[in-house]
Amino acid sequence: GQQVMQIPQYQHVQEGEDFTTYCNSSTTLSNIQWYKQRPGGHPVFLIQLVKSGEVKKQKRLTFQFGEAKKNSSLHITATQTTDVGTYFCAGKSNFGNEKLTFGTGTRLTIIP
Amino acid sequence: GAGVSQSPRYKVAKRGQDVALRCDPISGHVSLFWYQQALGQGPEFLTYFQNEAQLDKSGLPSDRFFAERPEGSVSTLKIQRTQQEDSAVYLCASSFLRGTQYFGPGTRLTVL
């Protein structure tokens, strides 16, 4: 079945440093979504990417979808303590099925 | 407006007991999803409904797991004869057709 891997599993950064997490799917995706989950919380939707090579920005966050629609990345510039949490990518494999296959997640901690 | 709500928020069951977990989706959302999230892992798909129709139940781990959405709104996930490996957070999400999935707070199930 479809698998979605993320690296790194954990990332500790000094406040103000940049952070990047990478997502790779074993199969081509129709779209990819990114979620953030705070400790003890539930996944909160950040963004959806649909087109091959698409790049979207949200303030300090930059999201990319690979040309082959099998990989994606999330980059945070100048991290802040509010960025703490686990970042998950989640892919849909085709247009018919709405289920999401979540990645393994990257847990970000910030050293003040 | 109100988000997705789930009840109970916490459930402790003795091994072998049956449990029922409830999900109230956002009003008007056609699609409803159940995911299981083990500690330190990403959410894993269990099943999803479009209105009252269960379109995919491929993620249900065994025949002890059963989900229903009889009137196309509230959904119940039932686990019979609970086992320790069922301990996890059970997340419900809802969406408009092919829309963004919004997650509820989850039910943390602990099986002793």
Side-chain angles (χ1 to χ4, degrees):
Chain A
Q2 180 185 35
Q3 291 187 338
V4 180
M5 303 297 294
Q6 278 182 256
I7 55 171
Q9 188 175 3
Y10 302 95
Q11 186 79 58
H12 312 284
V13 301
Q14 290 276 353
E15 187 175 9
E17 290 183 338
D18 293 355
F19 159 77
T20 304
T21 173
Y22 300 91
C23 174
N24 286 284
S25 170
S26 59
T27 60
T28 302
L29 302 170
S30 66
N31 67 58
I32 196 156
Q33 302 177 21
W34 284 90
Y35 287 80
K36 177 183 178 181
Q37 187 172 24
R38 291 181 179 274
H42 58 276
V44 174
F45 175 79
L46 294 176
I47 208 159
Q48 175 176 281
L49 304 170
V50 179
K51 299 176 183 176
S52 170
E54 189 171 13
V55 178
K56 285 188 176 180
K57 293 190 176 184
Q58 285 180 351
K59 297 182 180 178
R60 296 179 294 105
L61 278 61
T62 302
F63 304 83
Q64 291 188 319
F65 200 10
E67 294 291 338
K69 300 184 74 172
K70 293 181 71 174
N71 57 71
S72 182
S73 65
L74 158 60
H75 180 81
I76 303 178
T77 303
T79 54
Q80 300 174 358
T81 55
T82 53
D83 296 325
V84 164
T86 300
Y87 292 85
F88 291 100
C89 61
K92 288 187 185 180
S93 62
N94 58 61
F95 290 106
N97 194 319
E98 293 298 297
K99 73 178 185 183
L100 291 174
T101 300
F102 278 79
T104 46
T106 296
R107 184 173 177 179
L108 173 65
T109 55
I110 307 289
I111 305 165
Chain B
V4 177
S5 61
Q6 292 186 245
S7 62
R9 292 292 313 279
Y10 303 91
K11 177 70 178 177
V12 179
K14 292 184 179 178
R15 188 161 56 94
Q17 281 185 331
D18 297 350
V19 298
L21 313 179
R22 176 187 169 107
C23 173
D24 276 273
I26 294 172
S27 178
H29 277 190
V30 168
S31 301
L32 185 147
F33 306 80
W34 285 98
Y35 293 86
Q36 181 191 60
Q37 187 172 25
L39 189 64
Q41 305 294 317
E44 291 197 2
F45 170 80
L46 294 176
T47 184
Y48 93 96
F49 295 83
Q50 196 173 105
N51 295 307
E52 67 278 2
Q54 191 173 18
L55 298 187
D56 187 339
K57 54 181 182 179
S58 63
L60 296 176
S62 78
D63 59 8
R64 296 186 296 104
F65 287 70
F66 172 77
E68 60 183 5
R69 194 186 185 197
E71 297 179 358
S73 180
V74 171
S75 177
T76 303
L77 176 67
K78 297 179 180 178
I79 309 174
Q80 297 178 323
R81 304 181 303 281
T82 52
Q83 304 294 315
Q84 284 191 324
E85 61 263 29
D86 300 335
S87 295
V89 175
Y90 291 85
L91 294 163
C92 175
S94 71
S95 74
F96 289 114
L97 192 60
R98 287 188 285 278
T100 299
Q101 292 183 28
Y102 294 92
F103 282 79
T107 295
R108 182 177 297 277
L109 173 65
T110 303
V111 182
L112 303 177

